[in-house]
Amino acid sequence: MRVLPLGIAVVAAVAGLALAGAPGSLLDPDDRALAKTLLIAGTVLFLCGGIALTRLLAADIDRRFDQRGLQAAGSIVKIVVTVVGYVLVALTALGLMAVPVQQLLLGGAITGVVVGIAAQQTLANVFAGLVVLFVRPFKVGDTIEVRSGALNGPFVGRVIALGLTYVTLSTEDGTLLLPNSGVLASGLTVNLPSSAAV
């Protein structure tokens, strides 16, 4: 991990928090212009430090997964860490600016339910992809047979990519993208001889 950039990001975030909290404790309560300027400057400094810290941590986690040969899982964890980090930084910044976060959270929860219902199939593929990446019933390079009536199978091919939504197979007929939820619900034969597929 790059210690110097990480240290700078932490110092910037902490300094921003201290600066944003200073107007209420250190200054004359009648000097509203200076208090507001310090609040805004502290919040902006916190945002910059928090975003930089989130990006550095996510990149380091992704790099560590890559070193272990888990590129796809590393990408997923990087996305999760980035989203959670950005949400925490945004909520903290809104709290510093005294924006009522409760109404934003309620609106976000309602929006999340609506989006979740609308994107049910996509989310099913994403969660199935997480299971495939972490359980690892097969890996890139394996030759597999996917037996599924729902996918109009069987399909025999060599796994060339594992993604968040699809398993990519190289077959005799070309490249085939199978949705993760369908693959997870299918019967699989793993480690077929490589002559069984292209």
Side-chain angles (χ1 to χ4, degrees), residues 11 33 38 44 54 65 71 120 138 178 183-184 196:
V11 168
L38 286 176
V44 169
T54 300
F65 271 91
Q71 291 85 3
Q120 188 175 4
F138 51 86
L178 297 173
V183 171
L184 195 60

Side-chain angles (χ1 to χ4, degrees), residues 34-55:
L34 181 59
K36 189 166 189 169
T37 302
L38 286 176
L39 177 64
I40 292 171
T43 304
V44 169
L45 185 59
F46 170 76
L47 277 171
C48 293
I51 289 170
L53 183 62
T54 300
R55 292 182 66 155

Side-chain angles (χ1 to χ4, degrees), residues 95-137:
L96 289 173
M97 298 292 291
V99 174
V101 178
Q102 294 85 355
Q103 287 131 0
L104 291 174
L105 290 177
L106 178 61
I110 293 171
T111 303
V113 169
V114 171
V115 169
I117 292 170
Q120 188 175 4
Q121 188 63 39
T122 302
L123 291 173
N125 281 329
V126 169
F127 287 116
L130 289 171
V131 170
V132 168
L133 290 170
F134 285 112
V135 173
R136 300 185 79 176

